Amino acid sequence: MASGDFTLIRDLDVLKDSFTMKLRIIRLWTLEDYYKKDEIFAIQLILMDEQGKKIQGYVPNAYIYKFRKVLKEGEVFFIKNPNLAKMDEGKFQLTDQMQKLTFTRETTVAPCLDFSGSINGFSFIEYHPIIVGTVPLNISLDVIGLVVAIGEIDARNEDRKRHKMRIQIQDVKVCFYYL
């Protein structure tokens, strides 16, 4: 596939119903079925393009048979004809994209051997924007630091997904001064 034949995450368009993306799976996990604990309900993914932009992916139960043995964490694929769906607002987001890729019956996946992007997908940010509150509270952030304190789990909310734990991290730059 030629280098210009795929869509980057920044160029996604909900009005486009047929596109191909070149993406690395940087994280993959399964969700078990609530009623049948030994069965998989869905596959969730974090995918990254060569520019380092990330998007969440989702394989619903109906298509697990098609993608379960193909999709591998760390591997790069050409993903053709996924659906583009809106992320639920207000929920914790693992990427800064307001859309997610949903794998369907029409979606095809082919291995890609030529990928010039990052291997691990980290996108570290400075501490200052976090401290002054200029980053959203409901997104995942990459930071490096020394964990200096861990609090108890706050389980006051009945929804387990909303349980929180405070962790105090010391800036890595400050840590180097102590060596």
Side-chain angles (χ1 to χ4, degrees):
M1 184 168 278
S3 63
D5 291 345
F6 55 89
T7 303
L8 294 167
I9 292 171
R10 71 166 191 221
D11 298 327
L12 285 172
D13 183 352
V14 293
L15 300 176
K16 211 172 166 186
D17 59 355
S18 178
F19 55 93
T20 301
M21 301 185 78
K22 183 177 174 182
L23 301 166
R24 178 184 300 280
I25 299 174
I26 58 172
R27 185 73 175 98
L28 180 147
W29 68 98
T30 58
L31 302 174
E32 68 179 28
D33 190 298
Y34 184 77
Y35 299 105
K36 301 174 190 170
K37 298 293 183 194
D38 57 335
E39 291 188 26
I40 296 174
F41 176 74
I43 298 172
Q44 297 272 355
L45 310 115
I46 303 297
L47 304 148
M48 180 183 63
D49 66 15
E50 289 181 304
Q51 293 185 334
K53 294 288 282 177
K54 294 179 239 177
I55 191 165
Q56 196 162 339
Y58 176 74
V59 179
N61 183 296
Y63 305 112
I64 289 175
Y65 73 92
K66 182 177 179 181
F67 298 106
R68 183 174 186 195
K69 292 184 177 166
V70 177
L71 301 174
K72 304 269 189 255
E73 195 168 295
E75 299 291 320
V76 180
F77 297 95
F78 289 109
I79 301 171
K80 185 175 182 177
N81 295 330
N83 278 351
L84 195 56
K86 185 177 180 188
M87 291 290 292
D88 296 331
E89 289 187 43
K91 291 196 173 187
F92 184 78
Q93 290 184 224
L94 299 171
T95 72
D96 61 356
Q97 295 299 310
M98 291 308 295
Q99 301 94 11
K100 67 180 171 182
L101 296 179
T102 302
F103 290 60
T104 68
R105 184 169 32 103
E106 290 78 27
T107 304
T108 59
V109 175
C112 173
L113 302 175
D114 178 31
F115 189 82
S116 61
S118 168
I119 293 173
N120 56 35
F122 290 120
S123 181
F124 296 109
I125 67 166
E126 295 288 329
Y127 278 75
H128 183 70
I130 299 169
I131 294 167
V132 297
T134 58
V135 293
L137 295 176
N138 63 338
I139 65 167
S140 174
L141 304 171
D142 296 325
V143 296
I144 295 180
L146 174 66
V147 176
V148 294
I150 300 174
E152 296 293 320
I153 295 177
D154 179 358
R156 288 179 284 185
N157 193 315
E158 289 183 26
D159 183 359
R160 292 185 67 187
K161 294 176 185 174
R162 302 230 182 248
H163 291 181
K164 297 179 182 180
M165 176 188 288
R166 289 197 169 270
I167 298 174
Q168 185 177 353
I169 302 174
Q170 185 175 358
D171 191 340
V172 116
K173 293 176 190 170
V174 176
C175 294
F176 286 130
Y177 295 128
Y178 292 117
L179 297 177

